[in-house]
Amino acid sequence: MTETAEGTPLWEPSEELKENARISDYMEWLKAEKDLSFGNYDELWEWSVTDLEGFWATVWEYCGIKASKPYERVLGKREMPGAEWFPGAELNYAEHVLRHAAYRPDEPAILHQSEVRPLGEVNWGELQEKTAALAAGLREMGVGRGDRVAAYLPNIPEAVIALLACASIGAVWSSCSPDFGAGSVVDRFKQIEPKVLLAVDGYRYGGKDYDRIEVVARLQEEISTLEKTVVLPYLSADPDTSALENVVVWDDLLAGHEGAELAFEQVPFDHPLWVLYSSGTTGLPKAIVHSQGGILIEHLKKAVLHLDLGPDDRFFWFTTTGWMMWNLVVAGLLTGSTVLLYDGNPGYPDMNDLWEFAEKTRMTCFGTSASYITACMKADIEPGRDFDLTNLKSIGSTGSPLPPEGFEWAYAHVKEDLWLFSTSGGTDLCSAFVGGVPLLPVRAGELQARSLGAKVEAFDEEGNPQADDVGELVITEPMPSMPIYFWNDPEGERYRESYFDVYPGVWRHGDWIKVKDNGACVIYGRSDSTINRGGIRMGTSEIYSAVDKLEEVADSLVVDVPREGGGSFMPLFVVLQEGVELDDDLKNTIKGSIKENTSPRHVPNEIFAVPEIPKTLNGKKLEVPVKKILSGTPPEEAASKESLSNPESLDHYVELAREM
């Protein structure tokens, strides 16, 4: 494979695509209805972050948001934190999803497949009926406006039905994936004091079955507010629930409320919709609360104007219910798209599995992670040759920066005519604030543009905007999906410390970003894990990109550990492919790739082979905790083991810290 430099042009949208893109229709509508004319995306973006009231009012109108009580103004308060959006409005998130059932009841709303279930379908009519039945069942249990419902469910249709049922009655939803262990689930759900728990009996991953009844029993024991548990038989048709109390089986609950009428509780714009959680690597996970209205308008903007989704699309993102991307998948339903759910190991039985799923479902948008694309690249698969991907229009990548060779692989081995967009956002806003625009070209290693309504800038340490230079990713104007608060943070102290302690009144996200002169962006990794060698700052993503080029290396992690008296020690940890040994030749090859692709200053002091890279439950590399451990912080203070998908992986770094 030839070398592709960052910024190399790889794809241009056709005139037909640009004409048919929903964002083009929006711009024509602005011109015809609002007498607002923009020559290109940059001009549209500039207006969207300058005239916040004007922009968000047009998103409301263009996307057809319906409110039983109208809003008094767009922005009641503008300051951050504490911005007040659309005061006076009353609406319901679930109503905006299920309005599509009225005119296409027999068309598929959800296509789903898992290691337990073959490919199946839920049509719009069924989605509405089951949501109505579950909503009636929850009401009968005493769940109402503001009550919390916790879900320990995989990425299957029942999870979507349950979210919509909660939203329809004004209850507050929160979910964890069943691969989360008992301790990490308790750490999350106990904070929000749920009244009802929805849980599966177990799940299958990589061909192996995992019983979860014992975990559910522990949740019942440790979360004293639970009054009822709904068990969904998933792994077994008839699970043994004798160890559980106050249990009702999912099918029995729905059957008891068959034919129920669906009513939508009208709630204020800032009424809580769901609680998401930070990774919790260094303490109790932050319980991040988003509003019904804020998520509704942000996700409509994202899905319609940036993802270009409509009723003919089939929208997929590989995720679990423990990651915010699952919530974004559900947003596909807001546009009338068919959403595609997959539960299981994406590499089982091999890396072709999801591409086969794409063929069978006639997928139009394939959302995944940068690490998945890299894994496909290293597995030498040929999806474009082996599968019919005629319907595939776009690939989205998130989770970590996608290196230029990942872009190149997709165009060479998936499809030449493909809109590949790398995107970056966060659980905090449950959206992307930098990412895809169907009107713009794709260049290797770049995110196409800043999102509409997202005033993203790169700040230096003094808080000055940086032009075409690396700086702290900040958002200088409020967005509707910023958290309304953290749970159990009545004074807002933890909320302010999380985002506003460095630049008062400005959201600091914690990533390094460069905003290029052409509007494209590059993310360089977390700013709290920066490499600083000889006065030059560099994000870890550039080093990973250099290491990812080598077939011998499966995964890597780099940290820069300050030394007493000045200077630092920078070790690189690598997980090698099976059968590969870390000898001097391979070390020199790795160092050579880093030297050639980054700079001689960023060649590591030492390279260590490790069995695993420690990662969060959502697959993010744990750079900062490893850095803390190697700096002498006790491991129990550096990272909460409950927040790790592989807690035993830290042991190697603890041993190394003793030797350093």
Side-chain angles (χ1 to χ4, degrees):
M1 191 180 286
T2 56
E3 193 71 22
T4 300
E6 179 187 293
T8 302
L10 296 174
W11 177 83
E12 284 272 357
S14 66
E15 288 305 314
E16 182 185 9
L17 190 155
K18 287 193 280 190
E19 284 174 19
N20 294 329
R22 300 196 71 182
I23 191 170
S24 297
D25 185 71
Y26 169 66
M27 291 170 77
E28 287 294 319
W29 177 85
L30 287 175
K31 189 174 181 178
E33 298 291 327
K34 307 298 176 185
D35 198 26
L36 291 165
S37 186
F38 303 102
N40 54 41
Y41 180 79
D42 284 347
E43 291 180 11
L44 179 66
W45 177 83
E46 190 64 46
W47 167 73
S48 77
V49 297
T50 306
D51 183 4
L52 292 186
E53 291 91 340
F55 169 66
W56 288 106
T58 65
V59 174
W60 179 293
E61 188 178 345
Y62 180 77
C63 293
I65 291 177
K66 303 295 182 189
S68 57
K69 288 187 180 177
Y71 61 85
E72 296 155 9
R73 55 197 176 280
V74 174
L75 256 179
K77 297 177 189 171
R78 190 169 181 143
E79 67 267 17
M80 293 190 290
E84 181 189 29
W85 289 95
F86 297 98
E90 291 196 0
L91 42 65
N92 188 281
Y93 170 90
E95 186 172 6
H96 287 80
V97 169
L98 290 167
R99 60 184 172 179
H100 299 284
Y103 64 92
R104 46 200 309 231
D106 298 324
E107 293 184 35
I110 301 172
L111 296 177
H112 60 99
Q113 182 178 317
S114 75
E115 292 189 30
V116 176
R117 297 170 172 173
L119 185 63
E121 177 184 313
V122 177
N123 66 35
W124 282 97
E126 290 173 274
L127 182 63
Q128 178 163 290
E129 288 163 14
K130 290 182 176 180
T131 299
L134 182 58
L138 290 171
R139 283 186 193 273
E140 190 177 71
M141 292 174 190
V143 177
R145 191 170 171 138
D147 289 329
R148 277 76 64 207
V149 174
Y152 192 49
L153 297 174
N155 183 20
I156 55 178
E158 288 89 344
V160 178
I161 290 162
L163 164 58
L164 296 177
C166 287
S168 73
I169 63 178
V172 183
W173 166 266
S174 194
S175 62
C176 283
S177 172
D179 58 337
F180 284 27
S184 56
V185 180
V186 169
D187 282 351
R188 287 160 172 77
F189 288 164
K190 193 172 182 178
Q191 294 186 64
I192 64 168
E193 301 178 308
K195 186 177 276 191
V196 171
L197 174 67
L198 311 170
V200 280
D201 59 320
Y203 68 98
R204 184 173 298 153
Y205 189 87
K208 184 178 177 183
D209 289 351
Y210 296 86
D211 189 286
R212 279 297 183 250
I213 293 294
E214 281 186 21
V215 175
V216 177
R218 184 174 158 191
L219 298 182
Q220 286 191 334
E221 184 182 332
E222 296 200 32
I223 303 175
S224 60
T225 55
L226 287 177
E227 296 175 9
K228 205 80 175 178
T229 298
V230 181
V231 173
L232 171 66
Y234 180 56
L235 197 55
S236 165
D238 186 24
D240 179 7
T241 59
S242 58
L244 306 178
E245 298 175 354
N246 299 318
V247 165
V248 60
V249 175
W250 174 278
D251 288 342
D252 295 343
L253 180 63
L254 266 63
H257 297 87
E258 201 169 329
E261 285 292 316
L262 188 56
F264 297 104
E265 182 81 8
Q266 297 301 299
V267 297
F269 189 89
D270 63 356
H271 182 80
L273 171 63
W274 58 48
V275 181
L276 304 182
Y277 303 94
S278 65
S279 57
T281 52
T282 55
L284 206 60
K286 297 187 293 257
I288 301 166
V289 188
H290 294 120
S291 68
Q292 285 229 14
I295 287 296
L296 173 64
I297 196 166
E298 170 60 34
H299 280 188
L300 276 168
K301 179 212 78 176
K302 173 69 177 169
V304 172
L305 303 181
H306 287 284
L307 296 174
D308 199 34
L309 296 180
D312 295 332
D313 282 295
R314 298 192 163 195
F315 175 50
F316 171 71
W317 213 287
F318 180 77
T319 182
T320 73
T321 57
W323 188 23
M324 59 139 288
M325 292 309 298
W326 182 81
N327 304 70
L328 192 68
V329 168
V330 177
L333 295 170
L334 290 168
T335 71
S337 294
T338 301
V339 300
L340 312 179
L341 312 180
Y342 186 90
D343 177 48
N345 184 336
Y348 179 83
D350 58 42
M351 294 305 295
N352 283 309
D353 197 52
L354 290 185
W355 300 105
E356 182 183 7
F357 181 62
E359 176 184 88
K360 289 193 294 184
T361 56
R362 303 198 302 280
M363 188 184 294
T364 60
C365 177
F366 187 130
T368 184
S369 63
S371 58
Y372 175 79
I373 291 174
T374 302
C376 286
M377 185 169 66
K378 294 196 172 186
D380 287 329
I381 63 170
E382 296 282 349
R385 180 194 67 195
D386 297 337
F387 301 100
D388 180 0
L389 302 178
T390 305
N391 296 284
L392 189 65
K393 297 189 299 188
S394 61
I395 291 180
S397 171
T398 193
S400 59
L402 181 65
E405 54 270 26
F407 282 78
E408 182 188 17
W409 178 84
Y411 284 102
H413 301 280
V414 179
K415 203 171 185 181
E416 284 183 8
D417 185 16
L418 187 75
W419 171 34
L420 172 58
F421 58 92
S422 181
T423 183
S424 184
T427 301
D428 320 78
L429 286 90
C430 198
S431 188
F433 28 80
V434 187
V437 179
L439 306 179
L440 299 178
V442 173
R443 299 182 182 91
E446 293 183 351
L447 297 85
Q448 287 175 291
R450 293 170 284 185
S451 298
L452 296 174
K455 187 72 181 293
V456 171
E457 297 187 66
F459 269 17
D460 64 15
E461 291 174 3
E462 281 75 46
N464 302 309
Q466 300 276 91
D468 204 27
D469 202 358
V470 180
E472 284 271 7
L473 191 162
V474 298
I475 305 173
T476 58
E477 294 287 357
M479 294 176 67
S481 68
M482 285 176 173
I484 44 176
Y485 49 81
F486 289 172
W487 208 269
N488 291 332
D489 183 28
E491 303 301 317
E493 184 180 352
R494 201 175 180 205
Y495 186 13
R496 284 191 300 274
E497 284 176 358
S498 297
Y499 311 115
F500 301 102
D501 63 339
V502 176
Y503 309 109
V506 171
W507 177 292
R508 171 186 171 268
H509 195 68
D511 283 336
W512 285 126
I513 188 172
K514 179 193 285 185
V515 182
K516 296 191 172 184
D517 290 337
N518 61 10
C521 301
V522 181
I523 303 282
Y524 294 95
R526 298 295 294 171
S527 56
D528 51 8
S529 58
T530 305
I531 306 298
N532 192 335
R533 307 275 278 177
I536 296 177
R537 292 186 311 192
M538 174 176 274
T540 54
S541 66
E542 292 177 282
I543 294 176
Y544 296 142
S545 179
V547 176
D548 282 344
K549 297 178 189 294
L550 305 173
E551 293 180 0
E552 297 91 338
V553 180
D555 205 354
S556 61
L557 182 142
V558 66
V559 292
D560 192 21
V561 184
R563 293 287 207 192
E564 285 185 27
S568 65
F569 175 71
M570 189 171 80
L572 172 70
F573 303 96
V574 293
V575 178
L576 300 174
Q577 299 285 8
E578 196 172 336
V580 176
E581 289 188 13
L582 185 62
D583 55 19
D584 288 342
D585 286 344
L586 182 53
K587 285 184 179 182
N588 290 332
T589 300
I590 294 169
K591 289 179 179 180
S593 183
I594 294 170
K595 182 178 180 180
E596 182 183 340
N597 291 287
T598 57
S599 82
R601 293 175 185 267
H602 296 87
V603 173
N605 294 104
E606 188 55 83
I607 302 174
F608 300 93
V610 293
E612 280 185 289
I613 299 300
K615 294 184 178 180
T616 67
L617 292 161
N618 290 334
K620 303 280 179 75
K621 298 180 185 187
L622 284 178
E623 295 166 334
V624 175
V626 168
K627 181 176 178 176
K628 286 181 177 178
I629 288 170
L630 296 179
S631 300
T633 303
E636 62 276 9
E637 293 177 23
S640 164
K641 286 203 168 186
E642 293 289 358
S643 69
L644 274 66
S645 61
N646 51 353
E648 67 290 338
S649 63
L650 283 181
D651 296 343
H652 184 88
Y653 303 91
V654 174
E655 285 298 318
L656 187 61
R658 293 192 184 114
E659 297 168 10
M660 284 175 62

